Amino acid sequence: MPHKAPTDGISHDDRGRNNAESQDIPLKKNPLIHEGESRMLFGRFEYPCRYESAGITFCIEQEGELFKYRRQCGSSEAEKIILSSTGSLFVHPVEPVNLPKEVTRFLEIEFPPVMMAPESEKTLFLRFPVEIGVILKQNDECQLLDVFSRAAPKYSLYGTPESGVITRYYHSDVFDQPPDTDPAETGILRLVIHNTSKGWVEVARVVFESYNMPIYFGEFVAMSALMEIFSKEIAETRVLERPLIPEMNLAIPVICARKILRIDTERKRFLMEHGVR
Amino acid sequence: MAILSTPIIGEITILDLLIFVVIICISVIIANLAGIYIKKSLSDRVRKDEMAKIVKITQVAIILIGIFISLPSFKVDFGELLLIGGTAGIIIGFASQRLVTNVGSGIFLIIERPVKIGDTVKIGETEGTIEDIRILSTTIKTYEGIYVRIPNETVFNSEITNYVANVARRFEYRIGIRYSDDADQAIQIIRELLEDHPFVLKNPPPSLYVDELGDNAVIIMVRIWAPSHEWWDVRTEMLWKIKMALEGEGISIPFPQRMVWFSDKSGSAGNTPSSAGVAGGKPGNGP
């Protein structure tokens, strides 16, 4: 049976497409996406299907009445059986807090210290780790089938053991424009830092709540976020529902694919009360 | 059917009693069904301890509703009920002090929350995972899988160690290497190994240093922070990895050893182990 190429990304509501605040940002062509390449990693696949590129292989093959999902990414492998022939497979970037197992819902990015002038606002670009979610969808019901990544996971503690939180840790350089990324490993984070305090503040880390983390994908993976600094010790962060460029698609949130109750999802902001350095 | 209208206590007839029992039974059945339904629908969406709370609150609410529905069949005057309840409470309180103490302790445990369902704890001499916190007792499943019921009074008055109350915890290894090995190199090898492990926390960073010049080995202290729920897996995994990584670079972990020097009675200079006569210990160059 011929393998079908992925079609467009999942249809989304308009929030991911027509945002007036999206800017024309000079983006470099991603070296991993070649001109004329018909199969991108992210998107919708009708199974049976097969994807193989840059060290990542996954497929769904029919064996009798069964469909077998197999995946290899580096030394990591997965195999599952799907007992449905009518669903669709979506491969989307998901919140990077799932590997090797879910122990937290916070993402921390540390970067070289930047000095923020009093009552100022600046935009900078960082990289963030990408995890790739393989999601089954049928009749609007999503189910996370597999998560993998080329980014090595690392965890950290933000704050104290008594009152802090475990975070998925990533160290990024600071860029003044969107950096090159490998979409299977890293994404671009556009971070607007707003120092509302009346003093200089040194910022070297940002922590986000992943329960509301809209991630967008296209030729690259991206997020936009806002960090409001109230003092040297306290800041508030939130990820914005805003694509880096208008053509990007909104990824299915893993909270939906994991079928986690949305009781907590109203918590869109995270208060960094253990410092920003 | 006249028997049904026969009063048995005051104006309460057998029929009233039957109605009361039937309503209570129905409410208990509904509460159980609701509990099963909630567990089925929310089991993969809600944490285990929160699930237990939701189920309990729902079941208690349903049973209370059942009681209130059934009370009119007793022709209850709520003023009288309060008076009787208060008096009965005092009498029962005196009669069953331990029971009341356990209930009080249970309430304080629920309010203070030193432990919650799913926590790994040590209460007195019992170690294990909290399975349930009830009004009278707390149940623990020990690491050996044994069910232990501890009265709440005992829990309340015991020293409680909650291993997962804080989000991260530290553990340590003492790694011995030979005196002839390069301790800096050993530390670097271990540090790189720790860096690669996802659950060895970046912050607070691992602490590695030469801690002791021992009888048989140079002792390197390795202190590691890990998420509280993952520390045991990390601990069991890393020790062997450290040993293998050190041996891969030619650094060995020495056996305890003692060199015995035999004296040379002829008086010739004999300071080699085979000829000297002093029992001594030259620390770890083996195996």
Side-chain angles (χ1 to χ4, degrees):
Chain A
M1 191 174 274
H3 298 298
K4 296 171 190 170
T7 56
D8 292 337
I10 186 172
S11 59
H12 304 290
D13 54 21
D14 286 338
R15 62 188 177 176
R17 294 174 188 275
N18 54 359
N19 196 307
E21 292 187 63
S22 293
Q23 299 170 358
D24 287 335
I25 296 161
L27 291 162
K28 296 173 188 172
K29 203 74 180 168
N30 196 298
L32 285 185
I33 297 170
H34 308 294
E35 287 294 339
E37 190 173 276
S38 59
R39 292 185 181 187
M40 285 172 60
L41 171 60
F42 299 118
R44 175 178 173 165
F45 292 74
E46 298 294 338
Y47 55 81
C49 58
R50 183 174 185 84
Y51 175 89
E52 190 168 351
S53 178
I56 294 172
T57 306
F58 63 84
C59 62
I60 294 185
E61 290 166 345
Q62 189 164 7
E63 293 181 11
E65 292 294 308
L66 306 177
F67 288 90
K68 278 201 172 171
Y69 167 81
R70 292 192 186 89
R71 183 267 300 163
Q72 187 160 23
C73 175
S75 59
S76 149
E77 290 179 355
E79 190 172 318
K80 288 187 181 172
I81 294 171
I82 303 165
L83 293 176
S84 166
S85 58
T86 54
S88 296
L89 190 76
F90 289 87
V91 179
H92 282 188
V94 294
E95 299 88 325
V97 290
N98 302 284
L99 296 175
K101 63 195 272 194
E102 192 190 357
V103 296
T104 181
R105 59 173 204 266
F106 300 99
L107 170 67
E108 176 180 5
I109 300 173
E110 191 180 19
F111 44 89
V114 294
M115 297 301 298
M116 285 295 297
E119 297 178 327
S120 64
E121 184 174 300
K122 289 286 172 194
T123 299
L124 52 84
F125 292 89
L126 305 169
R127 287 195 181 108
F128 70 93
V130 166
E131 289 180 3
I132 300 158
V134 181
I135 297 156
L136 284 171
K137 193 173 184 192
Q138 188 171 352
N139 302 333
D140 290 333
E141 276 293 306
C142 296
Q143 178 63 50
L144 190 65
L145 182 68
D146 186 24
V147 183
F148 59 96
S149 176
R150 284 220 294 257
K154 188 72 180 170
Y155 288 82
S156 186
L157 173 67
Y158 172 70
T160 62
E162 310 83 63
S163 60
V165 290
I166 298 290
T167 57
R168 165 74 192 268
Y169 173 88
Y170 187 79
H171 187 277
S172 168
D173 287 329
V174 175
F175 304 90
D176 60 350
Q177 58 181 313
D180 288 337
T181 56
D182 167 0
E185 188 173 339
T186 51
I188 301 167
L189 171 65
R190 179 179 184 267
L191 179 65
V192 178
I193 304 178
H194 184 200
N195 179 11
T196 61
S197 76
K198 298 201 182 298
W200 284 84
V201 178
E202 185 180 327
V203 189
R205 67 185 69 241
V206 59
V207 180
F208 298 111
E209 160 83 72
S210 74
Y211 273 11
N212 186 68
M213 186 175 273
I215 299 175
Y216 293 86
F217 67 94
E219 288 193 353
F220 54 89
V221 178
M223 283 196 296
S224 296
L226 175 66
M227 180 184 199
E228 278 186 288
I229 298 167
F230 305 119
S231 73
K232 286 182 179 175
E233 293 301 317
I234 297 180
E236 191 174 74
T237 64
R238 67 190 164 105
V239 182
L240 306 171
E241 290 174 353
R242 183 181 306 170
L244 212 57
I245 52 174
E247 297 79 26
M248 299 187 89
N249 297 305
L250 179 64
I252 298 173
V254 81
I255 191 167
C256 154
R258 271 197 194 280
K259 297 186 174 302
I260 300 168
L261 264 191
R262 284 179 168 264
I263 292 170
D264 288 336
T265 54
E266 291 308 308
R267 273 189 263 154
K268 294 182 174 181
R269 297 158 187 261
F270 178 70
L271 189 66
M272 295 177 66
E273 49 191 339
H274 298 281
V276 293
R277 280 187 295 171
Chain B
M1 286 294 125
I3 192 165
L4 290 177
S5 6
T6 314
I8 47 169
I9 308 164
E11 291 179 18
I12 299 168
T13 62
I14 292 176
L15 183 63
D16 295 334
L17 197 64
L18 274 176
I19 290 169
F20 177 80
V21 170
V22 167
I23 292 173
I24 293 295
C25 286
I26 289 170
S27 60
V28 168
I29 291 166
I30 292 171
N32 283 336
L33 290 175
I36 292 165
Y37 178 76
I38 291 169
K39 279 181 189 170
K40 271 186 189 170
S41 353
L42 303 182
S43 59
D44 56 346
R45 308 181 189 197
V46 178
R47 283 207 325 260
K48 201 178 164 189
D49 58 324
E50 286 175 353
M51 164 78 80
K53 258 187 265 170
I54 293 170
V55 169
K56 267 186 191 169
I57 290 168
T58 311
Q59 288 180 331
V60 168
I62 291 170
I63 291 169
L64 280 178
I65 290 167
I67 290 170
F68 276 100
I69 291 171
S70 63
L71 278 179
S73 67
F74 274 179
K75 303 170 183 69
V76 171
D77 178 348
F78 280 94
E80 274 180 27
L81 187 71
L82 280 175
L83 187 68
I84 293 166
T87 315
I90 293 167
I91 294 165
I92 292 167
F94 277 114
S96 51
Q97 271 187 334
R98 296 298 294 270
L99 190 74
V100 174
T101 313
N102 277 322
V103 172
S105 302
I107 291 166
F108 279 112
L109 282 174
I110 290 164
I111 294 167
E112 192 190 338
R113 288 170 62 87
V115 293
K116 55 183 192 291
I117 294 170
D119 284 359
T120 310
V121 298
K122 182 180 180 189
I123 297 173
E125 294 304 311
T126 309
E127 277 189 277
T129 309
I130 298 279
E131 287 288 294
D132 202 358
I133 303 169
R134 295 177 185 164
I135 200 75
L136 287 175
S137 64
T138 298
T139 52
I140 292 181
K141 186 172 77 181
T142 66
Y143 300 133
E144 294 79 25
I146 296 164
Y147 169 96
V148 180
R149 176 188 177 277
I150 308 175
N152 281 340
E153 184 193 2
T154 312
V155 176
F156 194 68
N157 293 322
S158 298
E159 188 176 295
I160 298 174
T161 308
N162 189 335
Y163 295 111
V164 293
N166 293 340
V167 292
R169 65 163 290 175
R170 197 187 75 183
F171 63 92
E172 64 186 35
Y173 302 123
R174 287 163 54 82
I175 309 285
I177 61 168
R178 296 174 301 191
Y179 269 79
S180 56
D181 289 328
D182 182 350
D184 287 336
Q185 187 194 0
I187 286 174
Q188 186 59 30
I189 291 166
I190 300 170
R191 196 181 293 282
E192 284 171 10
L193 206 59
L194 298 180
E195 184 65 31
D196 288 343
H197 197 288
F199 293 132
V200 173
L201 295 181
K202 185 80 181 173
N203 288 307
S207 172
L208 292 95
Y209 56 92
V210 173
D211 188 50
E212 189 185 334
L213 300 176
D215 287 344
N216 303 291
V218 174
I219 307 297
I220 296 173
M221 179 66 81
V222 182
R223 289 186 163 152
I224 298 167
W225 283 87
S228 295
H229 287 280
E230 304 300 323
W231 80 277
W232 182 250
D233 290 344
V234 179
R235 188 182 185 281
T236 50
E237 183 185 341
M238 290 311 291
L239 188 58
W240 190 250
K241 281 191 172 175
I242 289 172
K243 189 249 185 199
M244 297 304 285
L246 290 175
E247 285 189 349
E249 296 295 325
I251 297 171
S252 295
I253 296 170
F255 297 122
Q257 57 187 286
R258 182 166 290 270
M259 283 189 186
V260 180
W261 291 27
F262 295 99
S263 74
D264 184 351
K265 292 266 172 82
S266 67
S268 64
N271 275 337
T272 61
S274 59
S275 59
V278 181
K282 185 175 185 296
N285 268 327

